[in-house]
Each structure stands twice: as structure tokens, then as C-alpha cells.
Amino acid sequence: MNVAVVGATGAVGELMRRVLLERQFPLKSIKFLASEKSAGKQIEFACEKHTVQLIRPEAFAGVQIVLSSTPSSVSKEMSPIAARHGAIVVDNSSAWRMDPQVPLVVPEVNPEELDHIPKGIVANPNCVAIPLCVALKPLQKISRIKRIIISTYQSSSGKGAKGLADFDAQLGPWVRGESVPKPTAHRAQLAGNVVTLDWTLDPNGYTEEENKVINETHKILGDSQIGISPTCVRVPVKISHSESINVEFFEPISVEQAKAALATAPGVILMDELKGEFPQPVHATGSDHTFVGRVRQDPGNINALNLWVVADNLRKGAASNAVQVAEELIRRGIVK
Amino acid sequence: MNVAVVGATGAVGELMRRVLLERQFPLKSIKFLASEKSAGKQIEFACEKHTVQLIRPEAFAGVQIVLSSTPSSVSKEMSPIAARHGAIVVDNSSAWRMDPQVPLVVPEVNPEELDHIPKGIVANPNCVAIPLCVALKPLQKISRIKRIIISTYQSSSGKGAKGLADFDAQLGPWVRGESVPKPTAHRAQLAGNVVTLDWTLDPNGYTEEENKVINETHKILGDSQIGISPTCVRVPVKISHSESINVEFFEPISVEQAKAALATAPGVILMDELKGEFPQPVHATGSDHTFVGRVRQDPGNINALNLWVVADNLRKGAASNAVQVAEELIRRGIVK
């Protein structure tokens, strides 16, 4: 495959490069594109030096698959241009996710959506929605979902390299008991704190992030009737998002049924609390899997279960999911 | 009042001493009791030196109010002895909480329970249940509660001084990128991590802490029919617990109604998300109030609301609530 990585020098772009190598993605050629700030930089990839090129229309000539992780504004402009050059763009921004002509794909959940890509663009979902859907899809196959109540424990790296830099700058002084510098990327002190308004508040009282979880989960699970109630929260963790999920079905699913379905579900690692195991950010970081544990009956509702889900937000929540989408494009013969 | 502080040298006991002074509790005499390990130590209180005495039956002679924070095993033995000496014991352990003859009291919620103290013992509730009930009581007065789904973000100090020491020992190496020492109080690495099995797992698949939240909330709110579904989680924060709460009522309550009730509710500070305000551990720490914010309609259920609640687990969740119970005992003329 002839591949271009757009936004190659950002946190997710860098990880896309690593994941392509780790997963031995079938590459014929690769090029790295970025904005003016990073164009001209040297990058090493598979023991070869590459010069980062400026994102511009001509750069997409001959490219079959574009893996893109740029701000939405850049994607809105450049993704259609790349598609017009004949490439399929797998786009990690939120620019195209809710476009009805753009499939929003988690390969373990709705790969069949890739069979119809009218704009040449596939959207990579939000980093909370991806593990949520990976964990719920095997259960949705057993019974239709009525409601989802989710509270998240999201890591600093959800705000990319600048989030991590902000968090790191706070940590030293906080640990030493000194005054913590004003946050530069997060919206409040994150060291030793918990921040629920770390995103813009929309008029409905939910944050942009929470509304993404609602809308994208509806689209990925293919059921806009599910009542979804999210509370998104940033916690002082560097990488990996955790999710406390209460899911109510139209028909009851026993814990045994749920565990059996999850144990064999693609992309899921089921953890056994009786062995003292439970999903943790420190274990999930570096993995492409979604870790699911603490599967238990809701004591207040016979039709509901509680789950605890953790996944690496930079990998499964972004870079790895995009590369897996590209792999699926090849597997389905959509890109040859 | 003649007061004894039992477990005076522990994390909560130390704070009880501070809270007694801050709140100008009407003291005639005070004595400090502790186990053999701490007996004999010198303590300064209100600019006077006191020697910590060993907990033994004779020490309770003449004492009217005992503020106790000891392990359950100690309380099981000593609290009845103190009560037999004529004192009312306000006990912070979990030993007596579910005893039907022991009131479990949050002064803002169910102070009337103090009018009947058959065993001479009043129990101070769990640090998650207290702010939960302070926040929900004003809403329960409007409509009966059907279900509560709660996910917590609990601080290290929930495990007392040894929790904080463990967390502190991990933080330095973690910040420097070195290997983190094995946890000594928490059940997994807490620095840069999120730990949901930080408590013993009960046979029903819920942890001891989660079962406390269920049982104690039923008792404090006086309604054992409420379906309560908790997920308790330790986060890398030193002091103050946060709670993401979804509460379903039998009749719908509008956001405006809920905010109006919370704005005037005792012990509650309502925060306005439109001003960018939201409850945060760093703000709640040091306060005796329960901070409530992000009051919003559940998009999936017209009868449900979401709330974000934060309170200082050592103060409102333990020491301050106990002192407030003692104040209420005086106000009601139960101790004269």
C-alpha cells in the first residue's frame, strides 16, 4: 500500500507511525505530511530517514490510504482533496464523524460500514466512544440496549502533547507541596485534582466531549434510540481512559451470559475480579485491546449490568483504531 | 461539655481536634485517648499540653460526649463501655452503622434520628454516603427516589494516614519516571493510575465500600426500596472524594427545581457551570460543605438528573460530620 500519514509529528501521528510498524502493515511506500511548523523535519521510520512534507494537494498523488490526525479545520479542507486524488482517508479529527455519508468505524463493532464510503472518508471515533462500543457490542447482540449511564476517568493525553506537557509542569511543584503553575491546556489544576469541565460546555448542559459520546455511540451501535447519559471527567493519569458503565437492556442478560460473550469478543480482554484482576490504566497503556472487568448485576435493576472498561486512548482510542480500519479496508478488498 | 476524643492521634482524630476548635465547640473539659502505641504522647490543644491516655473503661468516667475514630474491633469493645458510663458515643467506625438500634446520622439529612439513641451510640456514616445523602435529601423532599447510579473518584486519604504515606512514597518515583515501589496500603499502584478494587470484594461482586454505600444510603435516606448501583474507585488525589451521580425519581424534577432546592439546602454549596464553576477536590479540601454542580437532565430518562458532588472525605466525610452530630446533640438538649 501507498500510505500517507498526515499530522505525522503530533502525539497521535507519531503513534500511528509506531503502530504501522508494530502491526507490520503492508507498506509499498510511505510519506509523512504536516503543517508548516513541522514540514522539513527529519523522521526515522523503519531505519530510514524521511523528510516531513507540507500538507498540500499534490502530496496526495498516488496515495491509496491516508491516515490523518490533524485539527478539524485542516481535515475539513484537506481530506476531500486527498479523497479526490483517489485515496481513502481515515480521519482522526471530529470533522466528519457525524456526516451521514461518512462511516464512523470501530473494526470490532461495525466493519461492514466500510463497504460504502461515498466521500472517500472514514471517520475514527472519539476515544471514549471506541472502548464503550467495543465492550457493549457483544452484549447488544444478545439484547437491545435501552440506556447507558457512563462516567469517565480520562487521562491528560486526551488533550495531546500539550495536555501532557501541562500536566507534567504541574506535577513536580504539586509533589513538592509548592504552588502549582496555572494550567495551560487543561481547564483547571489536574495534579492531585479531578476536572469535569475540561471541555467546552454546550448549551444543553453537557460538554462537547459528552455530546460526542452520545452522538457517536448512537451512530457506531446503529441505534439512536439508546438513552445515553455521560459524565466526562479528567483525572490525573497520563495515558489510558477508564469508564464506569451502567447498561440497561430491554431483556435481562445474566452476568454469566455477559462474561461468556465478552470472553470471546474481538478486541476484548476480560478480567476476572475473583482473581483480583481489574482493568487499570497502567496495564492498558501500550495495548490495542479494550480491557473489561467488574461485570456485575445492577442491584437496582434486573435488566442492567455494571462494567469497568479501560483502554489506551492514544492507541485503541486513536492511532491503533485508525490503522485497524486501514487493515480492514485491505481485508475487504476496498483498497487493493 | 466534657468530651473525650478516642483514637485522637489518627488522621481523623487529629482533624476532630482541629474541627472542635475551629467550630468553637462548647468544651468544659477534654481528654484524648488512644491505643497503647500512642498513649503517653503529648498533644497540644488550644495552647495547652495534654497527655494521651490509654483507652480503658475508667477513662470514660464523667465524659458526656465521646468522639471516636478507631478500628471497628476497638469500637465494638469500647463504645458500649463508654455508653454505660453515661456518655453518648459518636462513632466513626463501621462497627455500629447497620445496627437497627444505632442511629446513622448526617445532621443536614436526618437529625431527628438523634431523638432515640437506645444504645448510647450514634454512628457516623461512610465518607461516600455522607455527601451523597446531603446532595440528594433536598431532592428526595420533592420526589421519591427510584434509583441511584453512582461512580466515585475517591482520594488516597480514605485509607487514612497509611494510605497517604503509600501514595506519597509512589509519587516521587512515578514523577521521575522511575519504577514505582510496591503499594503498602492501596491494592495497586495509585500514582498515575485508577484503582477500582481498592477494597475487599464481597460475594455479591461488589466491594465492601460499595455495599456500605448501598446499605448506609438506604438507612440515612430512610428508604430501603431505592435501587442503588455503586462503582467505587480510588483516584490519584490526596484529599476529597468526588461522585458522579445519576438519580431517577418517581416523578420528574426539572433542573430549575433541583437547583432551587439545592441552592438553599443546608450544608450544600451549589456551583454554577455557566460561570465555569464545578466542584473540585482542590476547592473542597478544608471545607465542611458538600459542593454540588453540573445539575442536568438525563437525556435518556425524563425522570432522572445527573449531579457532580465533591466533599472533603476527612472533614465532612468523617471528623466534621461527627462534631456536627455532637453539636446537634446539644441543640436538641439530648446532652446537657
Side-chain angles (χ1 to χ4, degrees), chain A residues 2-4 6 29 31-34 53-64 66 77-87:
Chain A
N2 299 306
V3 171
V6 180
S29 75
K31 58 173 74 175
F32 301 107
L33 310 179
Q53 301 173 37
L54 188 66
I55 308 174
R56 58 201 170 93
E58 309 87 81
F60 296 109
V63 171
Q64 294 170 282
V66 172
E77 187 192 341
M78 298 311 293
S79 293
I81 294 174
R84 224 172 296 140
H85 277 82

Side-chain angles (χ1 to χ4, degrees), chain A residues 11 156-168 184-186:
Chain A
S156 169
S157 59
K159 289 222 164 164
K162 66 183 194 304
L164 282 173
D166 181 15
F167 184 38
D168 271 332
T184 53
H186 295 295

Side-chain angles (χ1 to χ4, degrees), chain B:
Chain B
M1 294 296 138
N2 299 309
V3 171
V5 177
V6 180
T9 55
V12 172
E14 195 186 318
L15 206 48
M16 280 174 173
R17 282 146 44 197
R18 199 190 311 168
V19 171
L20 284 169
L21 290 175
E22 281 178 17
R23 297 182 69 98
Q24 303 187 288
F25 191 85
L27 290 170
K28 192 152 90 192
S29 74
I30 188 157
K31 58 172 76 175
F32 302 107
L33 310 180
S35 63
E36 271 170 9
K37 210 179 65 190
S38 299
K41 273 191 186 163
Q42 293 285 314
I43 278 181
E44 206 181 273
F45 182 83
C47 306
E48 276 181 30
K49 287 232 187 291
H50 294 256
T51 303
V52 176
Q53 302 172 38
L54 187 67
I55 309 175
R56 57 199 170 94
E58 309 86 83
F60 296 110
V63 171
Q64 294 170 283
I65 296 177
V66 172
L67 296 171
S68 178
S69 183
T70 68
S72 285
S73 56
V74 176
S75 175
K76 272 183 193 149
E77 187 192 340
M78 297 311 294
S79 294
I81 294 174
R84 224 172 296 139
H85 277 82
I88 302 277
V89 181
V90 185
D91 180 52
N92 195 55
S93 83
S94 61
W96 303 96
R97 290 177 187 161
M98 296 314 297
D99 186 322
Q101 292 196 283
V102 171
L104 183 65
V105 176
V106 183
E108 297 94 329
V109 178
N110 60 344
E112 67 283 356
E113 296 293 323
L114 292 175
D115 294 336
H116 186 62
I117 312 179
K119 289 192 171 170
I121 302 169
V122 180
N124 209 37
N126 168 276
C127 49
V128 171
I130 291 174
L132 176 64
C133 292
V134 170
L136 292 188
K137 179 70 182 186
L139 307 179
Q140 190 193 26
K141 285 181 180 167
I142 305 174
S143 172
R144 195 176 159 204
I145 296 172
K146 188 173 177 186
R147 263 178 100 193
I148 299 167
I149 295 156
I150 172 172
S151 296
T152 70
Y153 302 67
Q154 295 180 238
S155 67
S156 169
S157 60
K159 288 222 165 166
K162 65 182 194 304
L164 282 172
D166 182 14
F167 184 37
D168 270 333
Q170 297 175 25
L171 274 173
W174 176 71
V175 167
R176 292 190 297 272
E178 299 164 5
S179 78
V180 173
K182 258 186 174 298
T184 53
H186 295 294
R187 298 201 171 194
Q189 177 181 326
L190 185 59
N193 202 22
V194 164
V195 180
T196 175
L197 284 191
D198 205 30
W199 299 268
T200 301
L201 199 66
D202 282 345
N204 67 350
Y206 286 78
T207 62
E208 274 186 0
E209 183 81 349
E210 289 161 350
N211 284 317
K212 284 179 189 172
V213 173
I214 296 173
N215 297 327
E216 297 185 22
T217 302
H218 280 156
K219 183 167 174 176
I220 300 165
L221 293 180
D223 185 350
S224 62
Q225 298 301 304
I226 302 171
I228 304 177
S229 196
T231 302
C232 287
V233 182
R234 192 78 69 191
V235 295
V237 165
K238 290 193 180 178
I239 302 176
S240 289
H241 291 356
S242 307
E243 307 179 358
S244 173
I245 302 166
N246 181 279
V247 52
E248 180 181 345
F249 302 93
F250 280 93
E251 305 291 333
I253 298 182
S254 72
V255 169
E256 293 65 34
Q257 262 182 306
K259 284 187 173 176
L262 288 162
T264 57
V268 169
I269 292 182
L270 180 64
M271 310 204 77
D272 184 355
E273 68 281 357
L274 295 177
K275 290 182 188 155
E277 296 172 354
F278 58 96
Q280 298 178 43
V282 291
H283 296 155
T285 298
S287 169
D288 293 341
H289 287 94
T290 296
F291 295 77
V292 181
R294 303 217 59 207
V295 182
R296 61 208 197 281
Q297 175 78 55
D298 179 336
N301 187 324
I302 185 76
N303 280 17
L305 296 173
N306 286 313
L307 310 174
W308 179 253
V309 172
V310 182
D312 184 325
N313 57 301
L314 297 178
R315 294 185 66 113
K316 185 56 194 167
S320 301
N321 194 75
V323 174
Q324 289 169 321
V325 166
E327 290 170 350
E328 191 67 29
L329 287 170
I330 299 169
R331 193 173 302 125
R332 295 176 106 70
I334 296 158
V335 180
K336 284 175 220 164

Side-chain angles (χ1 to χ4, degrees), chain A residues 147 149 151-153 193 196-197 205-206 210 228-231 244 248 280-282 294 296-299 301 306, chain B residues 147 149 151-153 193 196 205-206 210 228-231 244 248 280-282 294 296-299 301 306:
Chain A
R147 265 177 99 192
I149 295 157
S151 296
T152 70
Y153 303 66
N193 203 21
T196 175
L197 284 191
Y206 286 77
E210 289 161 350
I228 304 179
S229 196
T231 301
S244 172
E248 180 181 346
Q280 298 178 43
V282 291
R294 302 217 61 206
R296 61 208 198 280
Q297 174 77 56
D298 179 335
N301 187 324
N306 286 312
Chain B
R147 263 178 100 193
I149 295 156
S151 296
T152 70
Y153 302 67
N193 202 22
T196 175
Y206 286 78
E210 289 161 350
I228 304 177
S229 196
T231 302
S244 173
E248 180 181 345
Q280 298 178 43
V282 291
R294 303 217 59 207
R296 61 208 197 281
Q297 175 78 55
D298 179 336
N301 187 324
N306 286 313

